[in-house]
């Protein structure tokens, strides 16, 4: 099984907390995490693009936003049902709307956590 690859903003306190939780839940090592902020990992896309939205690669396909979260969830047994549910276009569209709303408030939340 090819691991899911995830690119995240390690300078973002919210992102670090989310990824820490995912790492704890990923007991099988099914996900490779890449901190884009460090610049140490090879980036398949422009670094600014990777920092602007959450990205993942699943089965060779690059995904972003809610689709990337769903790919990560599918790799973790506890969250797999939610990830599979997100394969439904309507569910994924709803999750994407929530993700876009989060992106609008993310800067304010980051300031509060720093």
């Amino acid at each position: 099984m090819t691991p899911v690859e995830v690119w995240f903003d390690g300078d973002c306190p919210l992102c670090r907390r989310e990824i820490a939780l995912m790492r704890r839940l990923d007991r099988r090592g099914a996900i490779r995490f890449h901190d884009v902020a460090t610049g140490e990992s090879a980036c398949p896309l422009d670094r600014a693009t990777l920092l602007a939205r959450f990205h993942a690669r699943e089965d060779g396909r690059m995904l972003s936003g809610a689709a990337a979260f769903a790919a990560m969830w599918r790799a973790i047994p506890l969250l797999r049902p939610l990830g599979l549910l997100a394969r439904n276009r309507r569910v994924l569209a709803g999750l994407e709307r929530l993700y876009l709303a989060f992106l609008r408030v993310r800067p304010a939340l980051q300031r509060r956590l720093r």
Side-chain angles (χ1 to χ4, degrees), residues 50-70:
L50 288 170
L51 287 170
R53 284 177 60 94
F54 186 73
H55 286 80
R57 182 169 27 213
E58 179 184 43
D59 298 327
R61 288 184 328 137
M62 282 301 292
L63 305 165
S64 72
F69 276 100

Side-chain angles (χ1 to χ4, degrees), residues 7-9 15 36 46-55 64-65 99-100 102-103 106:
W7 287 266
F8 69 97
D9 180 357
C15 302
V36 178
D46 172 75
R47 189 170 181 266
T49 300
L50 288 170
L51 287 170
R53 284 177 60 94
F54 186 73
H55 286 80
S64 72
Y99 180 70
L100 292 173
F102 164 76
L103 287 180
R106 178 182 169 196

